Amino acid sequence: FKWIVKDISSSGIQCKKCSTGTGPLVPVSRGTLSFLGRVLRTHVTELQQVKVSKEVGQELEKMMRRFVDFQLTRPLKTMVFLEKMEFN
């Protein structure tokens, strides 16, 4: 059972079954949603000790990159460079 984050501009989360499929959607696992809930309930000084699985880390990275791109209205040159380095 997968969840999706709706288009970043409208924010919110829906189950895949209920989604209208409009805009760029980001699939998110239950583990990632659980982690985000934990972050909201945890003091920032305690977050250093939190470990996440590779899947959760990758999903969080995708969500954050899309959010930053949306907020800035254009991609950061640094992010483009880092993405190129990651694949080489």
Side-chain angles (χ1 to χ4, degrees), residues 61 76 85:
E61 183 178 353
L76 287 174
M85 294 300 293

Side-chain angles (χ1 to χ4, degrees), residues 7-9 24 61-80 83:
D7 178 4
I8 296 293
S9 64
E61 183 178 353
K62 284 180 189 177
M63 290 170 57
M64 290 303 298
R65 285 185 180 185
R66 287 190 182 192
F67 179 74
V68 168
D69 287 346
F70 171 75
Q71 292 295 322
L72 298 178
T73 66
R74 62 186 175 85
L76 287 174
K77 290 180 183 178
T78 315
M79 292 304 292
V80 172
E83 287 171 358

Side-chain angles (χ1 to χ4, degrees), residues 6-67:
K6 293 178 4 182
D7 178 4
I8 296 293
S9 64
S10 63
S11 70
I13 297 172
Q14 291 181 327
C15 73
K16 193 171 184 177
K17 182 179 173 183
C18 297
S19 171
T20 59
T22 59
L25 304 173
V26 180
V28 180
S29 68
R30 189 176 301 265
T32 299
L33 291 177
S34 176
F35 173 77
L36 290 172
R38 183 174 179 190
V39 167
L40 290 173
R41 295 185 306 273
T42 304
H43 191 273
V44 69
T45 57
E46 297 173 23
L47 290 175
Q48 296 175 8
Q49 301 166 1
V50 176
K51 296 185 192 268
V52 297
S53 69
K54 185 176 180 178
E55 179 189 41
V56 169
Q58 290 171 339
E59 288 179 355
L60 291 169
E61 183 178 353
K62 284 180 189 177
M63 290 170 57
M64 290 303 298
R65 285 185 180 185
R66 287 190 182 192
F67 179 74

